[in-house]
Amino acid sequence: MAKINQSLGEFIIENQSEFKYSSGELSRLINSIRLAAKVVNHKVNKAGLVDILGAAGDMNIQGEDQQKLDVFANEVFINTLTNREIVCGIASEEEDDFITIKGRNEKNDNKYVVLIDPLDGSSNIDVNVSVGTIFSIFRRITPSGTPVTIEDFLQPGINQVAAGYIVYGTSTMIVYTTGYGVNGFTLNPAIGTYYLSHPNMKFPETGSIYSVNEGNYVHFPQGVKDYIKYCQKEEEDRPYTSRYIGSLVSDFHRNMIKGGIYIYPNTSKNPDGKLRLLYECNPMAMIAEQAGGMASNGFESILNIKPTSLHQRVPFFCGSTKMVEKAEEFMRNAK
């Protein structure tokens, strides 16, 4: 039974039995993510005081400018997970290819691979807007003791054993699921401990917020344009309120608490969508469904999509179930 103000460490120990197949490995993995998040949180919170703001001068595999904090967060999470020898492979949004983790004897008997977006929304750092980290954990499918392969990472989201995000905002929170509901833990910065603050988080069945970058309206598919018009119509409980931060973690977190839908569709400029299936959409979809919400590409569940590449992009509709279903209805009618 979850107890308010229970520490994250205590919660993990108490709920160890939920971790299928695990002999403590998944618990240690989540603990490692917790540790890395503290380090990144410290750097994010003093970003204005040190030379960590702005672009790093490089581009990532997506062709996007890397921010200095992107590079820092990527190194922190990779180093923490590698040095503790609790995963057999890591894939990061900031890396071209996946990373194989070798054990002490060149063998690695660990069971899990991690896929991570080290710093989602990092372009907002310069203007002091909330950013986050998103992670996804799968059980490897190749034989234990052998090097991981691309197949260990290209699994449909339904196979995830855990997923979560960290939001670095007015308070720092870890929100995660292992398939038994969603719980949120808030960092007490005075003592460096995360405490259970949001047990059994749930999406309201419907809401009054829609989150989409309306500046791209002209490039949206007709179904999305029609849904936005529906949201703005003065009828029944509408118009809905438009709220868009531009940081997926922040927009998702608000909508889960208040009720709403987040949309990042394909456009004429990005026909496959912009968000990454493996690092952003899969983990957020698992959290949404565990919280009673829904996640879709506009036509089918995100969690059923079989990935074909590490940096695959997909359209993303996520949030309160009735709102996502209504958006899908407009997409189908416009097809």
Side-chain angles (χ1 to χ4, degrees):
M1 181 75 177
K3 298 184 279 288
I4 288 286
N5 290 331
Q6 183 179 32
S7 75
L8 176 54
E10 291 168 342
F11 182 89
I12 289 171
I13 292 167
E14 190 172 293
N15 294 276
Q16 173 68 39
S17 61
E18 292 180 356
F19 300 150
K20 195 177 177 185
Y21 312 115
S22 183
S23 55
E25 200 174 341
L26 187 55
S27 300
R28 289 189 292 122
L29 174 46
I30 291 171
N31 269 317
S32 293
I33 290 171
R34 172 184 68 169
L35 173 64
K38 279 191 205 175
V39 176
V40 173
N41 174 69
H42 179 68
K43 190 69 79 170
V44 166
N45 283 341
K46 66 174 187 177
L49 302 174
V50 296
D51 185 26
I52 197 72
L53 292 175
D58 296 317
M59 297 185 100
N60 64 14
I61 184 64
Q62 327 294 337
E64 300 162 338
D65 289 332
Q66 281 185 310
Q67 304 296 310
K68 292 176 184 176
L69 268 170
D70 279 323
V71 177
F72 175 80
N74 190 49
E75 289 174 354
V76 167
F77 278 101
I78 288 174
N79 290 341
T80 303
L81 293 168
T82 301
N83 294 341
R84 296 186 126 196
E85 296 187 5
I86 48 175
V87 295
C88 50
I90 304 168
S92 167
E93 184 181 300
E94 300 299 328
E95 300 287 333
D96 294 7
D97 205 353
F98 64 86
I99 299 166
T100 300
I101 310 299
K102 294 179 180 177
R104 288 190 178 90
N105 303 315
E106 295 296 305
K107 275 181 66 177
N108 192 319
D109 296 319
N110 293 326
K111 304 181 186 80
Y112 299 102
V113 296
V114 174
L115 300 98
I116 194 160
D117 180 355
L119 205 63
D120 170 74
S122 58
S123 60
N124 283 322
I125 281 281
D126 290 14
V127 290
N128 209 14
V129 171
S130 298
V131 293
T133 295
I134 308 171
F135 63 89
S136 170
I137 301 172
F138 287 88
R139 186 175 165 84
R140 69 179 299 173
I141 57 176
T142 50
S144 178
T146 63
V148 291
T149 72
I150 189 71
E151 296 307 315
D152 291 308
F153 298 93
L154 299 185
Q155 299 186 56
I158 197 74
N159 290 359
Q160 290 173 106
V161 295
Y165 62 83
I166 300 104
V167 57
Y168 311 104
T170 49
S171 60
T172 296
M173 282 186 68
I174 290 181
V175 176
Y176 83 99
T177 180
T178 56
Y180 294 86
V182 178
N183 291 283
F185 300 80
T186 300
L187 178 65
N188 179 341
I191 56 176
T193 301
Y194 291 92
Y195 288 100
L196 180 62
S197 54
H198 295 66
N200 195 28
M201 297 178 78
K202 293 288 184 186
F203 264 101
E205 192 176 31
T206 191
S208 59
I209 297 171
Y210 70 99
S211 307
V212 63
N213 184 355
E214 292 184 70
N216 289 327
Y217 181 90
V218 67
H219 303 293
F220 288 160
Q222 189 59 46
V224 174
K225 290 179 179 178
D226 293 342
Y227 179 69
I228 290 174
K229 287 174 186 171
Y230 166 85
C231 291
Q232 295 171 340
K233 199 167 185 181
E234 200 164 354
E235 191 175 272
E236 298 171 340
D237 59 343
R238 289 168 280 128
Y240 295 151
T241 301
S242 175
R243 292 283 183 271
Y244 186 72
I245 298 170
S247 168
L248 171 58
V249 166
S250 303
D251 281 309
F252 179 97
H253 187 71
R254 179 203 53 243
N255 288 356
M256 180 160 62
I257 291 171
K258 297 196 170 186
I261 183 172
Y262 176 91
I263 302 174
Y264 209 123
N266 58 311
T267 64
S268 53
K269 293 165 72 176
N270 296 293
D272 296 323
K274 190 83 182 290
L275 298 184
R276 290 78 179 178
L277 174 61
L278 296 182
Y279 311 108
E280 294 164 317
C281 301
N282 268 343
M284 289 310 208
M286 181 181 184
I287 296 165
E289 292 202 4
Q290 284 295 314
M294 186 174 173
S296 164
N297 67 355
F299 300 98
E300 65 172 319
S301 169
I302 287 291
L303 296 179
N304 290 334
I305 298 172
K306 176 70 171 78
T308 55
S309 65
L310 275 180
H311 298 286
Q312 182 176 344
R313 300 174 190 254
V314 291
F316 194 52
F317 298 70
C318 182
S320 296
T321 300
K322 286 191 173 179
M323 298 182 81
V324 176
E325 287 175 343
K326 178 60 76 173
E328 282 187 329
E329 183 184 315
F330 279 100
M331 292 296 289
R332 285 192 298 271
N333 290 341
K335 194 171 181 180

